[in-house]
Amino acid sequence: MGATDDEFPRGAPVSGGVDPLGDPYLRTRFALPSRPGTFLRRDRLVEHLGQALLTPLTLVNGSAGAGKTLLVADWAANLGRPVAWLTLDAAVEGPGMFWAHLLQSLNAGGVPVPTAVGFPADATRVHHTLLSRLAWELAGRDRPVTVVIDEFDRMTDPEVGRQLEFVLRHASPGLRLVLVSRTEPLLPLHRYRLAGEMTEIRGAELAFTTEEAVDLLELHGLPLAVPVVRALVERTRGWAAGLRLSALAARSAPDPELYLKEFEAGRGTIADFLLAEVLERQTPETKDLLLRISVLDRFCPDLADELTRRRDAATILAALHGANAFVEDFGQGWYRLHPLFREILRAHLRRRAPNLEPELHRRAAHWLRRSGTLPEMLAHGAAARDWTYLARALVEDLAIGQLFTGLGSREPAEWFAGMEGETPDPAVNLVRAACELSRPDLDGGLTHLRHVAERLAADDRGSPATRLSRALLEALAGRLSGSARLTEQAARSARRLMPLMPSRLLEEHPEFDALLLSHVGSSRLWAGHFDEARAALTAVVRGPRTAVTVLPRMEALEHLALVDHLDGSPSAAERKVFAMTAEAERYGLAQPSGSGLGQLVLAAVALDRDEVDRAEALLAQTSGRQPTTPVTAAARRAVTAGVLLARGRAREALDVASRPVPAAEASPWAQGRAALVVSDAHLAEGRPDAAVEALRQVAGDQPLCTVGAARAHLAAGDPGTAVHLLDGLAARGRSGPGVAVPAALVRARAAALEGDPATARRLLAKALVEGRREGLRSTFRSAGPWIGPFLAEPPLRALAAGWLLPGPEPSDGPARGGPGPGTPVEELSEREREVLERLARVMSTEDIAADLCVSVNTVKTHLKSVYRKLSVHRRNDAVRRARELRLL
């Protein structure tokens, strides 16, 4: 679909004054940073950087304070040609904002961009046409355009990296891109290295040599002996900021050489002197502000004012930043202290006012609750040990769900590890319950939930937010305990309470409803109510797609996959798991989170297809994860027993299938799948009567168990009962191929036993056609010797060839002018096969790259080639197509 006018306005003025968010462009983002009077130009680095004019890409990479920015700024200022400069910060987030600022940097740098190129109207995305026009425009210039992007490590969106690489590649030879970054940029650097099209300056090269340090110290008015400087370089390892800090402190010392010897000997003296020579020079108001903001990772004037209880932070911070006094501009009115300076200030604060730091953290937490982000508020509240305030903030702001979805890599229990002592406060007990349930410690969580219930019953003053948060946790407890009754009861309470909450809170926290629905869907699945479970889980998947709902969406997809498999639709189940993996990659998760239910579903599908090795490998991927819910535990039990049975280890399969899954309420499908394994194990060991008995109580409730019971009765010499059971199954409606195919085989065998080979052939043909679509080899290969003579007949053998029996697969004719189903467009290379095999194991792109010891971009290149050769566009289609071609 093409871009609409709103998505991609032609001729929008790049320099019209505002970015896609409607904010004015900040000129500081496009201005070359000024060099201090003590800046030292180092010829070896300038000469190396001069190669940037000869290569499309240049990377200047090093730690904070390594001197990257000043080096490139000085080089650019003396280049004698226009340079477009862009300094990224936290506000330039998303493809639309990035490209709007890049276009503005070209205009500001004297490289006007024609209005026909366009302008991103959406901060979160940019149309591909704009990138193509920009690349075309740059490629047609007489002289290459030099673009410098400083602090590129702030841009973490991989889509921006892909877009930038596209423009760089297609703008050649009209673009020279210089990236200044603390981290590796999201670009295929290996490709440029191999082609000799990249200039690199790394941290080791940025480090000062002894000779350069001598010159630097002389610029600071410190003509020191070489041995003294050499010792300083060794102590600082040539770190530019460390040398400058030392020079600033030593410059005012009575004996600089003696001072630097003390610096070499003891760190405490250095810290004390820096405080005296840097901090003590400031006014009392400035010193007080610096000490107080040392507890913050980042700060703005309003937050600093909250800590000082004054209103002068804006003026002081602007002056400190202008004087290069270790206050760095963080963008959008935010600042941060130089890390070393901040560390020294915090140590000094603790010595001067040991009781002040907790109060400062408490003030920061209160301010951040109103204006900041949840993780920052929690961090400062935890540092202040103000547990009651934190708990009430989480509950009253309806943010308790983010303990499960929105705090990055830290678990809830880590945030509240220091919370000790018992308290009747409902909010505190709710947070403690959330921490316990996240482990998961069901008993501990239920204990705290009982405390909440008792308090609310005695006091009857619980706010709607308190009761709603309690309902969410009780729904989770019901899911973890296997009690659909408890979950449904909690969900009904939540629905009654939601209208009492401000709509703003519900809109700000979409994770709350997503979590509630995922708990309800999982519990309904456990109870065997598949249609109701599908409705709840589908609502999660179709709900808001944000970072705080990605984990519930992934859980919903893997549970929907299990529903599909239990309904007898293995391919549909496989597609759900692939969608879950794609969701994980979209949000930068290295691998699917959770207990591995998705991998277990894929293992079950592999067993259906007689891919026992693959099933075992997928099962092994979940071995390190403890099942958190009865649903996952039952799925793992069924897959483990199925693998053992497929390996011919019937006794071990019986033992595994007989192990109970702890749950408050029984699950029909869990009991049915266990009974089915027991029945099949008895059949494998020649005990048909025991096989019949194993399914007697469950056959009527589960379609696949009904087929298993019919198979057992047939083996016991009772074809009439077998057919009668299958007739009842057919009367209940159409079943998925995972049920229909084995049912057709049982009927075919019954017809053969009753002397009706024509009916047996017709049923076998039907089963082969449907089984081929899904690759259901296991059912045929475990059918027994009776099927062999039928498959030897040419018509049936033709239907089985290429997927069940050796031989070429019959052609269904080319699809849309493409190749037939039996032949790829082009033979896959060995590396492409390796990537495809890992794709089938539901490994993410990052995991495949790590496993094959190649870059992520290399994997993506192979995937594109695989898709082209298999005539598909998505990973799940590639896997399914590869199975049809027997490439897997």
Side-chain angles (χ1 to χ4, degrees):
M1 181 181 295
T4 66
D5 291 340
D6 290 337
E7 292 171 325
F8 187 60
R10 291 287 302 275
V14 175
S15 57
V18 296
D19 63 25
L21 293 178
D23 295 325
Y25 288 112
L26 301 179
R27 295 180 181 178
T28 52
R29 292 178 181 148
F30 312 109
L32 268 67
S34 60
R35 279 80 64 209
T38 54
F39 172 75
L40 175 69
R41 180 178 295 123
R42 294 184 278 172
D43 292 338
R44 64 181 177 89
L45 294 179
V46 173
E47 183 180 351
H48 190 176
L49 197 52
Q51 297 179 17
L53 300 177
L54 306 177
T55 58
L57 177 63
T58 296
L59 174 64
V60 182
N61 179 270
S63 63
K68 309 179 297 295
T69 298
L70 292 180
L71 166 67
V72 179
D74 180 67
W75 169 80
N78 293 278
L79 198 56
R81 64 174 68 180
V83 174
W85 183 283
L86 171 61
T87 300
L88 298 182
D89 55 41
V92 185
E93 182 179 2
M97 285 287 285
F98 174 81
W99 287 103
H101 279 77
L102 187 62
L103 292 172
Q104 179 68 9
S105 74
L106 288 166
N107 275 1
V111 187
V113 179
T115 57
V117 168
F119 178 73
D122 187 336
T124 63
R125 64 191 181 97
V126 63
H127 199 276
H128 190 73
T129 306
L130 184 149
L131 304 178
S132 298
R133 290 174 181 164
L134 177 60
W136 183 85
E137 165 63 25
L138 293 174
R141 291 185 175 260
D142 294 335
R143 297 182 65 184
V145 174
T146 301
V147 176
V148 178
I149 305 179
D150 190 20
E151 299 198 44
F152 190 71
D153 47 277
R154 293 180 181 273
M155 182 52 64
T156 58
D157 190 336
E159 182 62 22
V160 171
R162 289 190 286 269
Q163 293 169 349
L164 187 60
E165 198 278 329
F166 170 83
V167 172
L168 178 60
R169 176 157 38 95
H170 292 285
S172 180
L175 175 62
R176 297 292 182 259
L177 178 64
V178 181
L179 299 180
V180 184
S181 176
R182 296 182 186 180
T183 60
E184 292 283 299
L186 299 173
L187 292 173
L189 301 182
H190 64 283
R191 184 184 304 161
Y192 291 95
R193 289 193 189 103
L194 289 173
E197 296 179 340
M198 180 175 172
T199 300
E200 292 184 78
I201 297 179
R202 297 280 179 171
E205 191 175 355
L206 289 168
F208 274 71
T209 65
T210 299
E211 293 75 15
E212 291 168 343
V214 168
D215 295 337
L216 177 67
L217 292 170
E218 286 182 353
L219 287 173
H220 283 77
L222 296 172
L224 301 174
V226 172
V228 176
V229 178
R230 182 180 297 114
L232 178 61
V233 170
E234 291 176 357
R235 173 66 180 85
T236 61
R237 293 177 184 167
W239 181 43
L243 290 169
R244 174 171 168 75
L245 285 171
S246 301
L248 289 172
R251 187 167 57 183
S252 301
D255 188 341
E257 287 198 13
L258 178 61
Y259 168 76
L260 290 175
K261 289 178 181 179
E262 292 178 354
F263 170 78
E264 183 183 9
R267 302 179 184 178
T269 306
I270 293 294
D272 291 341
F273 192 84
L274 283 173
L275 286 170
E277 294 301 317
V278 178
L279 181 66
E280 296 303 330
R281 290 183 181 182
Q282 310 300 329
T283 65
E285 293 80 10
T286 300
K287 286 190 291 186
D288 179 67
L289 181 142
L290 285 170
L291 288 171
R292 289 170 183 259
I293 61 176
S294 68
V295 304
L296 303 170
D297 290 325
R298 62 180 187 129
F299 46 88
C300 64
D302 286 346
L303 178 52
D305 283 339
E306 182 75 14
L307 269 57
T308 62
R309 296 293 168 87
R310 304 195 308 266
R311 288 292 176 266
D312 56 2
T315 302
I316 293 176
L317 290 174
L320 288 170
H321 176 62
N324 293 317
F326 312 112
V327 175
E328 303 172 355
D329 186 355
F330 202 60
Q332 292 294 300
W334 286 79
Y335 298 90
R336 61 184 175 185
L337 290 171
H338 184 283
L340 178 59
F341 192 43
R342 180 191 175 207
E343 182 181 340
I344 293 170
L345 288 172
R346 287 190 70 177
H348 191 56
L349 173 68
R350 289 166 181 166
R351 286 197 298 269
R352 285 183 51 176
N355 298 322
L356 181 58
E357 187 172 359
E359 171 63 15
L360 295 174
H361 282 297
R362 187 188 67 80
R363 293 181 191 178
H366 283 245
W367 189 91
L368 287 164
R369 181 186 179 186
R370 300 189 301 269
S371 309
T373 61
L374 180 63
E376 286 179 292
M377 187 271 286
L378 288 176
H380 286 289
R385 304 184 68 79
D386 196 350
W387 306 116
T388 300
Y389 174 78
L390 279 187
R392 289 176 179 175
L394 282 170
V395 171
E396 294 303 321
D397 293 349
L398 208 63
I400 199 165
Q402 288 197 24
L403 291 177
F404 301 95
T405 68
L407 299 181
S409 60
R410 294 189 68 175
E411 297 294 334
E414 293 182 48
W415 285 102
F416 295 92
M419 188 164 55
E420 299 173 351
E422 294 298 325
T423 174
D425 189 279
V428 173
N429 278 291
L430 283 171
V431 169
R432 282 179 164 157
C435 292
E436 298 294 348
L437 293 174
S438 70
R439 296 182 193 274
D441 179 354
L442 180 60
D443 291 338
L446 289 173
T447 297
H448 290 297
L449 287 174
R450 281 194 294 270
H451 292 334
V452 174
E454 292 166 1
R455 181 66 176 180
L456 294 180
D459 202 351
D460 198 27
R461 288 187 300 176
S463 66
T466 299
R467 288 177 283 158
L468 188 55
S469 297
R470 173 193 170 194
L472 175 67
L473 296 181
E474 286 182 338
L476 172 58
R479 173 185 175 180
L480 295 175
S481 64
S483 173
R485 178 192 58 79
L486 177 59
T487 299
E488 294 285 4
Q489 178 181 322
R492 286 193 296 271
S493 296
R495 296 303 176 200
R496 287 194 299 268
L497 290 165
M498 281 182 176
L500 304 179
M501 295 297 299
S503 58
R504 172 187 60 83
L505 282 181
L506 294 172
E507 292 169 1
E508 289 176 356
H509 294 282
E511 77 281 354
F512 193 96
D513 198 47
L515 285 168
L516 183 64
L517 285 169
S518 67
H519 300 334
V520 169
S522 178
S523 297
R524 289 174 177 173
L525 170 55
W526 176 250
H529 305 315
F530 293 166
D531 291 340
E532 293 88 342
R534 193 188 300 275
L537 296 168
T538 301
V540 178
V541 175
R542 292 178 178 173
R545 300 189 69 179
T546 67
V548 293
T549 62
V550 60
L551 294 180
R553 290 201 308 275
M554 289 169 59
E555 283 193 342
L557 283 167
E558 62 182 356
H559 280 74
L560 284 169
L562 180 58
V563 173
D564 282 337
H565 188 263
L566 292 172
D567 275 344
S569 300
S571 289
E574 189 177 49
R575 287 194 293 272
K576 297 290 194 310
V577 180
F578 286 143
M580 180 193 71
T581 304
E583 193 79 354
E585 290 187 350
R586 185 176 295 114
Y587 285 88
L589 301 179
Q591 60 183 12
S593 303
S595 58
L597 181 59
Q599 277 74 16
L600 292 171
V601 172
L602 288 182
V605 172
L607 285 175
D608 294 339
R609 294 169 174 165
D610 200 32
E611 298 167 351
V612 184
D613 289 343
R614 178 169 182 263
E616 201 161 21
L618 288 164
L619 181 61
Q621 290 181 18
T622 70
S623 60
R625 306 177 189 175
Q626 186 67 26
T628 55
T629 67
V631 169
T632 304
R636 181 179 292 182
R637 180 183 66 178
V639 171
T640 303
V643 168
L644 291 170
L645 198 59
R647 296 294 189 197
R649 295 153 65 180
R651 279 282 127 196
E652 294 175 65
L654 274 171
D655 179 62
V656 169
S658 301
R659 296 173 188 168
V661 172
E665 300 165 10
S667 169
W669 68 264
Q671 290 181 331
R673 288 300 167 119
L676 187 60
V677 170
V678 171
S679 177
D680 287 345
H682 285 312
L683 284 179
E685 295 191 334
R687 295 188 296 274
D689 292 337
V692 170
E693 191 61 33
L695 289 168
R696 192 174 299 279
Q697 300 301 320
V698 298
D701 300 323
Q702 303 293 320
L704 196 59
C705 291
T706 300
V707 176
R711 185 165 55 243
H713 278 286
L714 196 62
D718 187 2
T721 300
V723 172
H724 174 73
L725 287 171
L726 295 178
D727 288 342
L729 178 63
R732 282 184 281 177
R734 191 178 188 282
S735 300
V739 176
V741 170
L745 286 181
V746 173
R747 285 185 181 276
R749 186 183 180 193
L753 290 174
E754 292 175 354
D756 188 355
T759 299
R761 290 187 185 93
R762 177 179 56 80
L763 290 167
L764 267 176
K766 178 182 177 182
L768 285 167
V769 170
E770 195 155 8
R772 175 191 168 197
R773 293 195 196 101
E774 298 280 347
L776 301 178
R777 290 176 289 273
S778 178
T779 300
F780 291 91
R781 290 177 179 169
S782 62
W786 69 272
I787 200 173
F790 285 99
L791 294 181
E793 298 174 4
L796 294 179
R797 183 173 185 83
L799 292 175
W803 70 278
L804 183 61
L805 297 176
E809 189 174 4
S811 174
D812 291 335
R816 299 182 184 180
T823 309
V825 172
E826 183 182 333
E827 190 72 21
L828 268 62
S829 69
E830 182 178 353
R831 180 62 88 183
E832 289 167 352
R833 284 177 176 267
E834 291 174 343
V835 170
L836 184 60
E837 289 167 0
R838 286 156 178 79
L839 200 69
R841 298 207 297 266
V842 202
M843 295 174 68
S844 68
T845 305
E846 289 78 6
D847 289 339
I848 295 173
D851 198 40
L852 295 177
C853 299
V854 298
S855 72
V856 171
N857 284 301
T858 296
V859 173
K860 291 178 179 178
T861 299
H862 287 312
L863 285 175
K864 290 179 182 178
S865 180
V866 169
Y867 294 166
R868 177 182 61 80
K869 292 180 180 181
L870 296 181
S871 301
V872 298
H873 300 286
R874 297 180 301 179
R875 61 164 50 211
N876 53 332
D877 293 333
V879 172
R880 184 166 59 253
R881 179 70 175 138
R883 295 193 192 289
E884 292 173 356
L885 298 174
R886 300 190 63 78
L887 297 174
L888 293 171

